[in-house]
Amino acid sequence: MRLLFFLISLIGIIYSFFVIAITRLDTGALAILFVSLLLLAIAIVFHPLKKQWRKNKKFRIFTVSTVSIALIIALLLEGLILTSIKDEHPANIDYVLILGAGIKDGTPSRVLKERLNKAALYLHKHPGVKAAVSGGLTVGESKTEAEVMGRYLKNKGVPSTSIVYENKATSTYENIKFSRNLMKKYLPAGKPQRVVIISSDFHLHRAKCLAEGLGLKAFGQGSSVPLSVTPQVHVREILALAKYYIFDKDYFK
């Protein structure tokens, strides 16, 4: 058992540094690193802990209860993520909203490219639909995410007249809120906005929840993510969903 803890912790630590190197430091990578270091600590003091485990019933109950509750919550939230991974094809939408996902040296990240490729396909099938590209200025970059996204879509053949730029948002909530406010001038006053949100597939549930809370009728189109970062982004999204259900709904009360 001690060897198993060592192996799992080693794999987790290596994976954490790998995803940080190829993407960026975020809550998903930090959470995996934290759990891996915790398992490593357990492996190091395994024998004293084993004695404590055998002698102390309260310690066993507390440990099993805490781990079980955390796992159940994580599985429930992952279930919400997985059941929302589907493309919706509503009629009569007002616009498409493409959520930013990071840029580097003026180039979309791999995850963002997948979102933009999905958006380009959708917009070619639905000519005339406006697309809001949303994302503010990233540290160390000279152009906003929205500018980089718009340029990428134009290179994919999307007409510049179809693209609307929201270049201040720094979070999913701001992406949706600022884009909603921006798009009001293109729509009849008082009309509920019907929007297709294009984001990574794991992100659709939370994005749609935030949009519905902001008064939008939201539908989803999800893009895939590289297999190498799938554990990281799902852990991050589970934590973000937990925060949403505990705190963020207060935005809408």
Side-chain angles (χ1 to χ4, degrees):
M1 181 62 75
R2 187 184 187 191
L3 179 60
L4 181 62
F5 279 121
F6 266 124
L7 288 174
I8 294 173
S9 65
L10 183 61
I11 291 169
I13 291 168
I14 292 172
Y15 177 75
S16 299
F17 283 107
F18 166 73
V19 294
I20 291 169
I22 65 171
T23 58
R24 65 181 188 272
L25 182 65
D26 65 9
T27 52
L30 282 175
I32 294 171
L33 181 60
F34 173 79
V35 172
S36 300
L37 291 173
L38 181 62
L39 292 175
L40 179 61
I42 292 171
I44 292 171
V45 295
F46 183 79
H47 292 301
L49 274 178
K50 189 176 181 181
K51 290 178 183 178
Q52 183 71 9
W53 179 269
R54 287 174 175 173
K55 289 193 303 182
N56 194 327
K57 184 179 179 181
K58 289 183 179 179
F59 176 68
R60 292 199 304 271
I61 292 172
F62 173 78
T63 303
V64 171
S65 299
T66 302
V67 173
S68 298
I69 290 170
L71 285 175
I72 289 169
I73 292 172
L75 288 172
L76 288 173
L77 294 175
E78 179 66 9
L80 293 175
I81 292 169
L82 294 176
T83 54
S84 296
I85 296 178
K86 58 184 178 182
D87 286 350
E88 297 174 298
H89 302 276
N92 304 317
I93 68 158
D94 294 313
Y95 62 97
V96 170
L97 171 57
I98 308 149
L99 304 182
I103 60 174
K104 186 174 182 179
D105 299 326
T107 302
S109 66
R110 188 172 172 186
V111 171
L112 183 52
K113 283 181 181 179
E114 292 292 340
R115 296 184 186 184
L116 293 167
N117 290 337
K118 184 90 172 187
L121 287 173
Y122 186 91
L123 293 167
H124 286 313
K125 291 179 182 177
H126 301 83
V129 173
K130 288 207 174 286
V133 289
S134 179
L137 192 62
T138 304
V139 175
E141 297 290 335
S142 60
K143 295 185 180 298
T144 65
E145 274 192 86
E147 290 177 277
V148 173
M149 293 162 72
R151 183 181 63 201
Y152 188 94
L153 288 177
K154 285 187 282 188
N155 289 339
K156 288 286 183 178
V158 177
S160 58
T161 53
S162 297
I163 303 171
V164 179
Y165 296 84
E166 187 293 296
N167 54 17
K168 294 181 180 178
T170 58
S171 67
T172 301
Y173 176 73
E174 290 183 352
N175 285 145
I176 298 168
K177 182 181 179 180
F178 295 170
S179 297
R180 177 200 65 177
N181 296 342
L182 182 65
M183 296 305 292
K184 282 181 180 178
K185 63 184 179 183
Y186 297 98
L187 302 171
K191 180 182 182 296
Q193 296 181 12
R194 291 171 57 85
V195 55
V196 168
I197 295 175
I198 296 182
S199 188
S200 302
D201 52 15
F202 69 86
H203 193 219
L204 289 178
H205 177 79
R206 183 163 58 97
K208 288 168 63 179
C209 285
L210 288 167
E212 296 282 351
L214 286 164
L216 307 180
K217 181 59 179 174
F219 306 91
Q221 289 263 330
S223 61
S224 60
V225 295
L227 186 60
S228 59
V229 299
T230 296
Q232 172 208 10
V233 296
H234 277 255
V235 169
R236 184 182 69 205
E237 193 62 17
I238 286 169
L239 294 173
L241 268 181
K243 175 180 174 292
Y244 165 76
Y245 281 113
I246 295 170
F247 300 111
D248 292 355
K249 281 198 170 188
D250 291 341
Y251 293 155
F252 315 129
K253 292 179 181 178

